[in-house]
Amino acid sequence: MDRILFPYECRMQFLTAPATSSLLKFPEGTVEALGEDDPTRGSVLWGKISGGTSGLAWLARGPHFEVVNSMTGERLSAYCFSGPHGRLPTVRVVKEFSSWERPALLIGVGNDLCLFDLERSRVVKAIALPGRVIAIEPITNVGEGDASTQYLHESLQCFSGVAAVATNVGRVFLVDLCLHNFSWGQKEIEILDREYVTAAPAEVPQIRETVMGGGRHLCFQLQNSSRSAVSTLYFISRTNQLVVGFCNGTFSLWNMGTLTREHNSQLNGGRIPVSGVTFQEPENDPGNSCYLWAVQSAPKRGGGVLSFRLLQLTFGKRRRVASGQVMYEGLARCEERFGVDLRGGNSNSNMKLLGCQTIEKFSDRLDGGNSINGVMSPFISVSIFSWQVCTSGQKNPSTYLSVFDINGWLDAQMPAMLRPESLHDCPYFALWSLDTVTSPAPLDLVLDMMEEQLEVIVSTAAQTGYLDILTEYFKRWTSEGKTCQVENIQFVRECAWNRVLTRTDEFNQLCVPLFDGSFVDQKTIQSLYDCQFYLCNLSTILNCLPREEQDLSEEGFPDLTNKQVLAGHQSLYAQVVTWFCRCGLLPQGLDAGQRSSRPFYNYPLLQRCCTAQRQRLTRLSRGKWDLAGLMIDRMVSDLGERVQNLWCTDKQKTGKYPPPSLQALLQLYLLDGIEEIDKHKITMYLLLDIGWAVPGNRERLLHSFCAAFAIPKGFVQLVQGFWLLDHNDYENSLVLLCHPATARSASWLRQRAIQSLMCQGQHRRALTYIRMTRPLITSSREAQLYLSVFLSNRCMADVWNLLQQYSSDDNREELLLHMFKTCLEMGLAEGFLELPFTDTELACLEEILESSDLIEDHEFFPANHPKPVNNTAAVRVNKSAEVTLTDSWKNQMLKVLPFPRVASWCSQLLRLLPGRLQGKGTEGQQRSAEDQEAGQTEPAPAIQTAELPAIVEENTEAMLPIQE
């Protein structure tokens, strides 16, 4: 196989890190304990701790062990191991092993396996092993019947925590850690012995009890002594295999379910120790294959050798386990598919592997629509390798880092080798020089960049989402204030904007098959996700640009603002589109079988339902309520005519809700001048309609959307309340609309909800909504609406209070006229006259009556007969009608009689009271039928009165004569 030689022997272009953080200095205590200046004590071991608090790292040299915060340099823990007879042991291997939600480490010190508690900085368990501990690999941190151990061998399932340990004589043990048998808070204990077992699985539990009673730990010997020592261990949970690497370049695969060796072979890199192993899983490989990296390293052989071998593991099947991840079963083949060999330039050079690991990112969907057989595979999987090269006479070693993208390699048709000339633009392998990290360039050199370097920075930030690099440069550039730095900012701005335009075109092209019914494969969906991520980062970059006077001219400021707004719209549009893909609503073209298994948008059905409800509301409103359709109609109309024009098609000219397609809905997010939350409201309402058609999906879709876009609870409940109101669920709607988080909505929304309730005959619920939310009245129109609600519920005291609080010289006549008309329509004339009007209000009433034709319209006066009748005639009429009035009416009659027109109006009003109070007549019967249709089931309370004849006879003489 061809080799990629190191740069000393071939002309290769290494990528250079565009930005690095400053080097961190460890505390003096750590530096002193590790003794870095003493070359006789060997190299410093180091590693990171991924679980628990992020940013932790460990350092070890000789018997000294240190834990520091790699972000701040703070020293968090320190320990010095002791050995027998005063001899100091050496820490050789450290592995993370957190159990029972406590951060811990497994440490190999001399011949002992130690469990170190990070929180208390002490060893809480130590187990003696035959031989020096070379490698440690945790298998499980639980046990004794836990569900996660069901894939292990039956003999291991009764263990409480299992670790694989290799010694220098070629043995590999599976050790029972007995995590249940000690307290994490106990002091450091004496070293315990171990005992081997080869019994049948059924006998293991009993033997284990006996062994633990004697203060020993049970263990299985997996690998006997061999001709070569073990160099590394690595457990693959998704294949349930333990990888054992040897110093002679061979490796073995042991199945932890059967405790048998499934494979053993020699690597093509030769008899070079296997110093590192890492696992990679591609995205939905149809061949049930996963991949294993084996890194061979010989630091001092011929100038140093470093070899990377990629092995393909093919299995008979794979399935989803309880955790949602994939489990591969039945190893069928193991073969090498790719290799990279690096060699030093001469015999004086030294090459050392620093580390290898795999970084993965999983989708949040677990259903079969996003992965084969319903399992969860990583859609991003990259392996990272780092190493150092030191040449004789070189002050500081050169550090390198390489990244391998398994999915990119598969897309490139799985090449077997990589030639140096293709490294610069390789889509799956990148090689970086980190010399700028170990030897940072002067600040001036970092700040004064050509355009290619800046473009690399923007591209890296957009692809990875690590924007701290750019923001740090922005701070430095603005603080320097040099002309060249202003030019750098301007270049970054234009570079980011040009990439927004490019990615927008790419995203729009990818969206075409989502809406036209074409077939959409998983690769296209993944490209959509990648493009959306890129656009979001570019939008963030534009928003992070400094707005300093020295770098923004009068013309540049609005230009930057426009670019930020447009990039934000496109970013939000991309996020919503990918969410619709993730939840299964897109792609839109599906056959009947696929539609039945997931929610989909049924426009014809939804349009018919909305049209029928609009017609019902129009019929119930009788032209009285300014309703003009559903609650959603007002929400759409408030967005402007552009939305209605967007939703107009050849088949539908109205432009009303619902949108003719999901594409028409999503295009809302590209419109400028509309608040983001207002766009979200329309989408939330539609999701409720879509979920309504599929049982059990209404709340799931809405909650998923609101969580993805961080929509406040108040807006969610507001949309839910309006949706329920449009669907005639008044009770549940009122619960949501009266919630404190929702009650502070805009005044027009409150008016709209009240009008809808009143139109549908829900007078009592409209009153409840007003009393629960206690809205502030800001206009005469609102006051009139609340007066109508109070009058419909016969709440005359509330009517009077509202009139006194909100009436003024500007609106008094308008409010009194509205009250008068409403009372006539509802048969509340008696209650109206009982109100204790002031002289000013009575004078206003007289003017209203003199200037209006309401009395003639309601037959209070005969046609063309404006002359009022006298009081005696009125008394006789009402005697025959046997109308009764309260004492307050008597006082009110005496109060208004001095006003000639009002007195005559009252006398005629009395004549018509019997029919109106009893609900007799054509108008009363018609209103009763309409209320019944609208759902009004509670009859209005009867008005109690005293006897009118006695009152009038008693006060006839006291009445003033009526004047023309």
Side-chain angles (χ1 to χ4, degrees), residues 596-763:
S596 62
S597 63
R598 70 180 194 181
F600 67 98
Y601 183 44
N602 191 338
Y603 168 70
L605 174 62
L606 189 55
Q607 185 189 36
R608 289 195 297 270
C609 294
C610 290
T611 302
Q613 182 69 347
R614 289 188 185 102
Q615 293 173 350
R616 173 180 175 271
L617 291 175
T618 300
R619 184 175 65 255
L620 292 176
S621 65
R622 301 185 298 273
K624 176 181 178 181
W625 303 104
D626 184 19
L627 204 55
L630 303 169
M631 298 296 295
I632 184 63
D633 293 334
R634 177 60 187 268
M635 294 167 62
V636 171
S637 64
D638 282 350
L639 300 184
E641 295 182 356
R642 289 182 299 168
V643 177
Q644 301 176 25
N645 297 334
L646 183 64
W647 289 0
C648 282
T649 63
D650 295 338
K651 297 181 180 179
Q652 177 185 331
K653 297 296 184 181
T654 62
K656 291 184 177 181
Y657 179 89
S661 65
L662 290 180
Q663 184 178 17
L665 170 76
L666 295 173
Q667 286 177 345
L668 283 178
Y669 289 91
L670 297 176
L671 297 180
D672 190 18
I674 301 176
E675 293 293 333
E676 179 179 322
I677 189 62
D678 292 330
K679 299 175 182 178
H680 284 329
K681 288 177 184 176
I682 308 300
T683 303
M684 292 158 59
Y685 191 100
L686 182 67
L687 291 176
L688 286 171
D689 271 332
I690 294 175
W692 171 61
V694 181
N697 275 320
R698 187 179 78 186
E699 301 299 331
R700 183 183 69 84
L701 284 175
L702 179 65
H703 291 164
S704 174
F705 181 82
C706 296
F709 295 94
I711 299 176
K713 181 179 180 181
F715 290 105
V716 180
Q717 292 183 333
L718 183 69
V719 175
Q720 284 180 303
F722 287 167
W723 187 88
L724 292 170
L725 190 58
D726 283 343
H727 290 72
N728 306 327
D729 190 346
Y730 311 112
E731 191 66 32
N732 290 322
S733 172
L734 206 61
V735 171
L736 292 172
L737 294 178
C738 291
H739 191 276
T742 312
R744 296 181 179 180
S745 54
S747 60
W748 73 262
L749 293 175
R750 296 193 299 268
Q751 292 184 57
R752 188 78 169 180
I754 295 171
Q755 288 177 348
S756 180
L757 289 169
M758 293 294 291
C759 170
Q760 300 178 75
Q762 302 298 315
H763 304 153

Side-chain angles (χ1 to χ4, degrees), residues 891-905:
N891 299 330
Q892 192 65 28
M893 287 283 290
L894 295 176
K895 190 173 183 180
V896 302
L897 282 178
F899 297 90
R901 296 286 292 179
V902 176
S904 62
W905 163 64

Side-chain angles (χ1 to χ4, degrees), residues 760-959:
Q760 300 178 75
Q762 302 298 315
H763 304 153
R764 290 292 180 86
R765 290 192 169 98
L767 178 63
T768 301
Y769 178 62
I770 291 176
R771 288 180 171 172
M772 291 290 291
T773 58
R774 298 181 178 274
L776 294 176
I777 299 177
T778 59
S779 66
S780 178
R781 187 174 181 178
E782 290 184 21
Q784 294 179 36
L785 176 61
Y786 299 146
L787 283 174
S788 298
V789 176
F790 293 147
L791 290 171
S792 298
N793 289 276
R794 272 64 172 174
C795 300
M796 303 307 293
D798 293 284
V799 171
W800 178 251
N801 291 334
L802 188 149
L803 185 64
Q804 298 304 307
Q805 292 180 26
Y806 296 101
S807 65
S808 63
D809 294 339
D810 297 330
N811 66 0
R812 183 178 293 108
E813 181 177 351
E814 186 178 5
L815 294 181
L816 288 173
L817 178 60
H818 177 76
M819 290 175 57
F820 178 47
K821 292 171 61 177
T822 304
C823 287
L824 293 179
E825 293 174 1
M826 306 186 67
L828 295 176
E830 178 184 0
F832 180 75
L833 292 176
E834 288 182 352
L835 295 176
F837 294 110
T838 64
D839 293 343
T840 303
E841 290 165 343
L842 289 173
C844 185
L845 274 174
E846 183 179 11
E847 294 178 1
I848 291 174
L849 295 174
E850 289 178 346
S851 59
S852 67
D853 55 357
L854 289 173
I855 296 180
E856 294 183 2
D857 291 343
H858 290 79
E859 299 180 355
F860 276 80
F861 293 120
N864 301 321
H865 194 276
K867 185 176 181 180
V869 299
N870 56 50
N871 293 331
T872 305
V875 171
R876 287 197 298 268
V877 171
N878 286 281
K879 276 186 177 180
S880 62
E882 296 183 356
V883 179
T884 58
L885 297 174
T886 61
D887 291 340
S888 61
W889 242 43
K890 164 188 171 183
N891 299 330
Q892 192 65 28
M893 287 283 290
L894 295 176
K895 190 173 183 180
V896 302
L897 282 178
F899 297 90
R901 296 286 292 179
V902 176
S904 62
W905 163 64
C906 291
S907 64
Q908 293 297 323
L909 179 62
L910 297 177
R911 180 173 59 85
L912 299 178
L913 279 176
R916 293 189 177 276
L917 291 177
Q918 299 301 326
K920 299 177 181 178
T922 305
E923 182 178 352
Q925 295 174 358
Q926 180 182 1
R927 175 174 176 77
S928 177
E930 291 169 345
D931 286 345
Q932 185 176 3
E933 178 188 358
Q936 178 73 19
T937 58
E938 305 158 352
I943 300 178
Q944 302 296 328
T945 59
E947 291 191 16
L948 174 64
I951 296 174
V952 178
E953 287 289 350
E954 180 181 351
N955 295 280
T956 300
E957 296 181 356
M959 293 182 181

Side-chain angles (χ1 to χ4, degrees), residues 237-297:
S237 61
R238 292 174 219 172
T239 65
N240 202 27
Q241 292 174 318
L242 179 67
V243 183
V244 182
F246 297 93
C247 292
N248 63 357
T250 62
F251 75 100
S252 300
L253 298 176
W254 287 81
N255 189 309
M256 291 292 97
T258 61
L259 295 185
T260 59
R261 186 170 61 183
E262 293 185 312
H263 180 80
N264 184 75
S265 65
Q266 174 75 49
L267 293 171
N268 289 337
R271 301 180 63 82
I272 300 175
V274 180
S275 54
V277 177
T278 189
F279 174 81
Q280 269 194 292
E281 181 185 359
E283 183 183 17
N284 298 326
D285 189 299
N288 294 341
S289 294
C290 54
Y291 297 84
L292 187 70
W293 281 101
V295 184
Q296 296 175 271
S297 175

Side-chain angles (χ1 to χ4, degrees), residues 126-424:
I127 306 171
L129 292 170
R132 190 169 63 248
V133 176
I134 297 298
I136 302 173
E137 182 67 4
I139 303 297
T140 178
N141 58 1
V142 296
E144 294 187 303
D146 191 277
S148 62
T149 65
Q150 61 179 310
Y151 306 104
L152 300 179
H153 189 266
E154 185 178 354
S155 299
L156 301 177
Q157 292 183 14
C158 66
F159 285 11
S160 180
V162 180
V165 183
T167 63
N168 62 329
V169 293
R171 290 182 172 183
V172 178
F173 301 99
L174 299 178
V175 182
D176 178 12
L177 298 177
C178 300
L179 297 178
H180 69 292
N181 197 29
F182 74 98
S183 170
W184 285 90
Q186 71 187 63
K187 297 182 178 180
E188 182 176 352
I189 60 177
E190 296 181 355
I191 298 176
L192 302 177
D193 205 352
R194 80 280 170 227
E195 182 167 320
Y196 310 125
V197 63
T198 58
E203 303 173 357
V204 172
Q206 182 178 359
I207 297 176
R208 181 173 182 263
E209 293 294 330
T210 303
V211 169
M212 288 192 302
R216 301 186 302 277
H217 286 254
L218 198 61
C219 65
F220 289 94
Q221 183 169 281
L222 187 67
Q223 170 76 39
N224 293 326
S225 299
S226 63
R227 296 180 180 179
S228 181
V230 175
S231 56
T232 188
L233 296 174
Y234 185 83
F235 178 63
I236 312 173
S237 61
R238 292 174 219 172
T239 65
N240 202 27
Q241 292 174 318
L242 179 67
V243 183
V244 182
F246 297 93
C247 292
N248 63 357
T250 62
F251 75 100
S252 300
L253 298 176
W254 287 81
N255 189 309
M256 291 292 97
T258 61
L259 295 185
T260 59
R261 186 170 61 183
E262 293 185 312
H263 180 80
N264 184 75
S265 65
Q266 174 75 49
L267 293 171
N268 289 337
R271 301 180 63 82
I272 300 175
V274 180
S275 54
V277 177
T278 189
F279 174 81
Q280 269 194 292
E281 181 185 359
E283 183 183 17
N284 298 326
D285 189 299
N288 294 341
S289 294
C290 54
Y291 297 84
L292 187 70
W293 281 101
V295 184
Q296 296 175 271
S297 175
K300 298 181 179 180
R301 178 180 296 185
V305 176
L306 195 60
S307 178
F308 304 95
R309 330 305 302 181
L310 181 62
L311 306 168
Q312 182 181 22
L313 308 179
T314 305
F315 293 81
K317 65 176 181 178
R318 67 173 183 170
R319 60 188 177 90
R320 177 183 172 184
V321 296
S323 63
Q325 291 185 337
V326 64
M327 174 69 77
Y328 293 86
E329 297 176 339
L331 179 64
R333 186 172 66 255
C334 177
E335 57 184 342
E336 187 172 323
R337 300 304 301 270
F338 181 81
V340 176
D341 292 332
L342 303 174
R343 289 187 179 273
N346 53 63
S347 60
N348 294 325
S349 62
N350 186 9
M351 184 181 297
K352 182 177 71 171
L353 177 70
L354 296 180
C356 62
Q357 64 174 328
T358 298
I359 298 177
E360 297 176 320
K361 187 173 183 180
F362 289 85
S363 172
D364 55 1
R365 284 191 64 194
L366 300 180
D367 59 11
N370 192 47
S371 55
I372 298 176
N373 300 326
V375 298
M376 181 173 66
S377 297
F379 67 88
I380 293 178
S381 177
V382 294
S383 289
I384 300 176
F385 309 92
S386 58
W387 65 93
Q388 282 184 340
V389 177
C390 185
T391 304
S392 178
Q394 185 178 359
K395 183 178 181 181
N396 294 317
S398 297
T399 307
Y400 299 90
L401 180 144
S402 66
V403 177
F404 183 89
D405 182 359
I406 189 70
N407 294 316
W409 178 70
L410 292 173
D411 292 341
Q413 306 301 315
M414 304 171 66
M417 65 188 72
L418 176 66
R419 298 189 178 277
E421 59 269 17
S422 61
L423 180 64
H424 184 67

Side-chain angles (χ1 to χ4, degrees), residues 28-43:
E28 293 183 1
T30 298
V31 175
E32 182 179 356
L34 297 178
E36 293 186 7
D37 296 332
D38 186 1
T40 63
R41 296 177 58 184
S43 302

